[in-house]
Amino acid sequence: AGDVLEFECTADALTKLRKFPGMTAEPTSKLYSELGARRRRRCLVEVVLDRRCPLIGLPMDLADSLSLYNAAIFAVRRRQDTSEHPFVLAGSPGHTDTHRAFERTANPRDRLTPSTHATSSTPEEADRLAPGDTLLLETYPHFITTFGDSDHFALVRLIEDSAPPRDNQVKDRVRRVMAGAVFIVAVVVVATNKLTPLVAMSIAAYALVGMQCVTIDAAFMSIKGRVVLAAITAFGLGDGLTNTNVTSKIAQGVVAVGQHFGPSVLLFLIFVATSCLSCIVSNQATVVILYSIVKHLHIPEVSMKELSIILIIGASSSFMTPFGYQTNLMVWGAGGYSFSHYFRFGAPLTLLTGIVASLGCRYIIA
């Protein structure tokens, strides 16, 4: 408690910094609280002041960016600052008489509040905005279309994924509980066959939008076009394999193996084949392609439920390549791993998972 935190960072890094749990950024402008209640629609915009900007010559604390642009100054970089990390969060740059920092109070939310302390004395004019100063404004997306070509700014840039965090108010906590309740209800109605997954999840999505947990734009942006396209094309490939009797021939060979080695070995082989294919293509496409083969299997000792479960587990066990899944790629460069590391660790893990999954499906699920 009582810690004072002061940051200099890039505009893009600032969006991550202010979402750090337990901290709330205190913006430079006192007009920030007057932006309105539509926090979920706000964004950060980086602008460079031109000579024609009405804010030129005004002290930062008195610059009325709200009435001019419907925006509040969140952070600033002065023209004289050539630092690699230009933006000073929650305060004027170090050239001024005073600047604000972050002070963590002892309340449960650890809210950061501004504190003032002396720095090197400079003329009062140094605190006034000048041409070439870079401001980080919190505003709404229409700012880009309205002022993108304005002669007030030499540059206007939207900071991606810069909506403010929504976790420090009572209504935010209420929405969090309601969102969890909506998810649980959707899962229950699908599990009890009251509604189809498509209908249940569509209703849940509309409910989350109606409760202002997410915007419509954010909901549509969460739809991964590549995943949808891969699944659609995989359906086409599966139908093609079925129509040309390729799947039936493969199924006959798999049945022969199953009759010779037994159901447990058959399930294990299906797991390994599914896992290897999932290391190359997405797990959704893997399930679609191999299901067209699995559905033609007719083995008295093995149920379709066992085959479906082993197929799902195998498609989610892409341990042997770095590009098998997104999380594999996330740690590839950061951890200094090579392709061989994934295979050396992933191959034994795949075999172990396959043995456990096949025996579990055979003696527990069955």
Side-chain angles (χ1 to χ4, degrees):
D3 294 340
V4 177
L5 306 178
E6 192 174 291
F7 298 93
E8 289 189 359
C9 59
T10 61
D12 296 280
L14 191 148
T15 62
K16 301 178 182 179
L17 178 62
R18 70 170 180 167
K19 293 178 182 178
F20 194 84
M23 299 194 303
T24 302
E26 189 72 18
T28 299
S29 175
K30 299 177 181 178
L31 301 174
Y32 180 81
S33 59
E34 301 180 22
L35 270 177
R38 297 181 300 164
R39 291 174 298 156
R40 66 190 185 281
R41 301 188 182 277
R42 294 184 197 167
C43 60
L44 292 177
V45 177
E46 183 181 11
V47 299
V48 177
L49 300 185
D50 198 90
R51 295 183 181 275
R52 304 175 188 83
C53 182
L55 300 178
I56 298 299
L58 297 177
M60 280 180 289
D61 290 340
L62 301 179
D64 189 5
S65 58
L66 185 64
S67 60
L68 288 171
Y69 309 113
N70 194 30
I73 300 176
F74 195 83
V76 64
R77 179 188 68 181
R78 302 314 298 267
R79 180 182 54 185
Q80 298 87 350
D81 187 359
T82 58
S83 172
E84 181 182 356
H85 305 290
F87 284 101
V88 178
L89 186 58
S92 309
H95 303 291
T96 59
D97 294 330
T98 61
H99 66 279
R100 291 186 291 178
F102 289 140
E103 182 175 359
R104 179 176 291 163
T105 59
N107 62 66
R109 295 300 301 171
D110 282 340
R111 179 177 176 82
L112 296 178
T113 55
S115 64
T116 304
H117 57 85
T119 61
S120 57
S121 59
T122 55
E124 181 179 353
E125 289 75 11
D127 192 36
R128 297 179 181 274
L129 294 174
D133 288 348
T134 304
L135 305 182
L136 198 60
L137 303 177
E138 180 154 326
T139 181
Y140 298 92
H142 61 75
F143 180 93
I144 298 295
T145 56
T146 305
F147 300 102
D149 298 325
S150 173
D151 58 0
H152 293 182
F153 307 110
L155 174 126
V156 177
R157 182 174 76 95
L158 174 66
I159 307 300
E160 298 294 337
D161 191 24
S162 56
R166 301 166 62 205
D167 56 3
N168 59 350
Q169 298 184 16
V170 175
K171 58 184 179 182
D172 297 327
R173 293 189 285 272
V174 172
R175 288 193 184 106
R176 190 156 52 239
V177 174
M178 294 175 65
V182 168
F183 174 75
I184 293 174
V185 171
V187 172
V188 170
V189 296
V190 171
T192 55
N193 295 322
K194 300 295 183 182
L195 293 174
T196 63
L198 177 61
V199 174
M201 295 308 166
S202 298
I203 295 174
Y206 278 113
L208 293 177
V209 172
M211 292 185 300
Q212 299 183 355
C213 295
V214 65
T215 63
I216 295 179
D217 292 339
F220 277 104
M221 289 178 61
S222 65
I223 300 175
K224 306 300 182 183
R226 292 184 178 180
V227 174
V228 174
L229 183 61
I232 293 174
T233 54
F235 275 110
L237 178 59
D239 290 342
L241 294 175
T242 301
N243 295 335
T244 56
N245 294 324
V246 173
T247 55
S248 61
K249 295 297 182 181
I250 297 177
Q252 292 174 6
V254 173
V255 170
V257 172
Q259 292 174 345
H260 187 271
F261 292 101
S264 298
V265 176
L266 172 64
L267 292 174
F268 176 76
L269 294 177
I270 293 175
F271 174 90
V272 172
T274 307
S275 177
C276 291
L277 183 59
S278 183
C279 289
I280 303 173
V281 300
S282 67
N283 52 359
Q284 296 94 339
T286 299
V287 170
V288 173
I289 294 172
L290 292 184
Y291 180 74
S292 62
I293 299 175
V294 169
K295 68 182 181 181
H296 288 90
L297 297 179
H298 300 288
I299 304 176
E301 299 87 353
V302 181
S303 66
M304 181 55 65
K305 183 178 181 180
E306 295 175 68
L307 294 172
S308 300
I309 292 176
I310 202 71
L311 193 65
I312 293 172
I313 297 176
S316 300
S317 302
S318 52
F319 307 131
M320 294 185 290
T321 61
F323 42 83
Y325 200 68
Q326 296 93 325
T327 49
N328 297 19
L329 284 174
M330 290 172 60
V331 299
W332 188 10
Y337 300 115
S338 64
F339 190 95
S340 61
H341 289 135
Y342 283 86
F343 184 79
R344 283 185 291 174
F345 180 81
L349 181 60
T350 299
L351 295 176
L352 177 62
T353 306
I355 293 172
V356 173
S358 57
L359 293 179
C361 286
R362 187 68 193 129
Y363 297 103
I364 298 177
I365 302 299

